[in-house]
Amino acid sequence: MFDLSTLFAAARASGRAVPVILDGDPGHDDAIGWMLAKASPLLDIRAVTSCAGNQTLEKTTYNARRICALLGIDAPIAMGLHHPLLSDPITAGNIHGQSGLDGPRLPEPVGELSPLTAVELMAKVLRESAEPVVIVVTGPETNVAALLLAHPELKPKIAGISVMGGGIAYGNWTAAAEFNILVDPEAAEIVFSSGLPVQMCGLDVTERALIFPEDFERIRAVDNGVARVVAEWLDFFYRFHRTLGYAGAPVHDPCAIASLLHPELFTIREMHVAIETRGEYCRGTTVGDTSGRLGPANARCVMDVDRDGFAALLLDAVKAYNGWEVPQA
Ligand code: BDR
Ligand code: CA
């Protein structure tokens, strides 16, 4: 099975950045993932697209634009679909707040929102790119599924899709389903059955990517404009998760970036992942099969992480913003 680790190893060896589209529903952990992406010379961010998920599309789009202003991401930003393909929307204001990104003040958006839809912008980036592009999805997979349905001819221009979503062992929104997949199971089904290389960071790994107060205090001490905001986001995320009994903040979405850049920190297993789109209790479940009963492997599932290495990666990434003047909030 072609794997994205091979692509990134080649990029590292040649010193050429991999073109990437960031699609998400920011969200504190999406934002921290994008911080990691912008800090890496291995990634060339060609577009940012918003999807409905943690909050309404209007809110996640506004957040995406504010995050890009904070981080100095100057790629075009486009708004995705308002609704999952077939389901009613679900939001997660209980976790991310009314704005979808409650906590520290952020700069206002710089520049205009793209007049294109997310699907149109993704298609344009793919068409214009000389090399295949990696799509990183840290929200429900609605936009990417719509892209695949509308433009099957562009599949050869997609190097692979790295998703945060699902969980082989358990869920977090229902007993069996994780939030991003539950919001739009039909979209996830389209992505996982696309035949494209899919790397999945489910709860199996992301709930081991725990960040503790000593980690975010180290980040805060870096004391640049981005580090201070990231420390606040982590603090916010930590305080919420403590109320649920977590030992630390499970920093889900950055795993979808970190596992591309540093696969040596992660344990990855190939398997077939089927998406349950029906079921009274299990809609949105990612069913992992290594027996061959459900078919050959269609995904590389990230199952574990070197937690200390991951925390060190976040710390190093915020240091990359030393000298960057964050626009006034
Ligand atoms: C996922 O749900 C969202 O709340 C987070 O941003 C993450 O993408 C974790 O289940
Ligand atoms: Ca997210």
Side-chain angles (χ1 to χ4, degrees):
M1 183 179 202
F2 178 78
D3 76 77
L4 288 171
S5 305
T6 309
L7 177 75
F8 278 86
R12 198 180 291 281
S14 68
R16 291 186 57 177
V18 175
V20 65
I21 295 172
L22 303 176
D23 179 74
D25 60 342
H28 297 76
D29 52 338
D30 303 74
I32 296 166
W34 294 0
M35 181 284 293
L36 260 187
K38 172 63 181 170
S40 172
L42 264 192
L43 294 177
D44 173 10
I45 302 170
R46 299 274 174 92
V48 173
T49 52
S50 59
C51 60
N54 284 325
Q55 265 299 354
T56 61
L57 184 67
E58 285 71 20
K59 291 181 181 179
T60 61
T61 305
Y62 176 54
N63 293 341
R65 299 176 70 203
R66 294 191 298 159
I67 294 162
C68 288
L70 172 79
L71 301 173
I73 295 176
D74 55 8
I77 307 171
M79 202 167 184
L81 288 159
H82 280 85
H83 293 285
L85 297 184
L86 297 180
S87 312
D88 291 331
I90 308 172
T91 54
N94 57 327
I95 302 176
H96 299 272
Q98 277 312 304
S99 70
L101 194 53
D102 281 9
R105 278 170 63 87
L106 296 174
E108 286 304 311
V110 173
E112 298 298 314
L113 188 62
S114 169
L116 302 179
T117 64
V119 169
E120 289 167 348
L121 178 60
M122 286 175 169
K124 179 172 185 288
V125 167
L126 294 175
R127 252 185 242 114
E128 291 175 355
S129 178
E131 313 102 60
V133 177
V134 172
I135 305 178
V136 181
V137 188
T138 54
E141 292 167 41
T142 316
N143 291 333
V144 187
L147 170 77
L148 295 173
L149 291 174
H151 293 287
E153 80 285 359
L154 291 175
K155 272 166 80 170
K157 302 299 292 282
I158 303 175
I161 304 175
S162 177
V163 305
M164 188 283 134
I168 300 303
Y170 52 89
N172 63 358
W173 213 258
T174 67
E178 180 277 333
F179 179 78
N180 288 342
I181 307 289
L182 179 70
V183 172
D184 200 338
E186 285 76 18
E189 221 262 318
I190 289 167
V191 169
F192 278 81
S193 61
S194 65
L196 291 165
V198 173
Q199 184 154 302
M200 168 182 143
C201 285
L203 299 171
D204 316 279
V205 61
T206 67
E207 294 213 334
R208 291 168 186 247
L210 290 174
I211 293 297
F212 301 108
E214 54 269 33
D215 301 309
F216 54 75
E217 290 313 333
R218 270 187 215 110
I219 287 174
R220 205 189 305 275
V222 172
D223 203 28
N224 65 40
V226 171
R228 286 190 290 270
V229 171
V230 169
E232 291 287 301
W233 283 335
L234 288 168
D235 198 344
F236 182 96
F237 222 45
Y238 173 77
R239 278 184 279 118
F240 168 75
H241 284 92
R242 285 294 292 150
T243 67
L244 299 184
Y246 284 79
V251 186
H252 307 283
D253 293 334
C255 293
I257 300 281
S259 60
L260 295 176
L261 300 175
H262 289 281
E264 73 282 1
L265 295 177
F266 294 86
T267 307
I268 302 181
R269 282 203 348 242
E270 289 185 3
M271 63 184 89
H272 186 95
V273 176
I275 310 295
E276 178 57 82
T277 55
R278 288 167 292 191
E280 190 177 351
Y281 302 111
C282 295
R283 182 167 154 80
T285 301
T286 44
V287 179
D289 175 42
T290 50
S291 73
R293 286 186 185 88
L294 297 179
N298 61 356
R300 287 169 47 84
C301 295
V302 185
M303 301 301 288
D304 201 355
V305 61
D306 165 356
R307 198 230 62 102
D308 291 351
F310 176 74
L313 200 64
L314 292 183
L315 180 62
D316 274 356
V318 294
K319 289 180 185 163
Y321 294 88
N322 283 344
W324 160 244
E325 294 275 333
V326 172
Q328 285 297 308

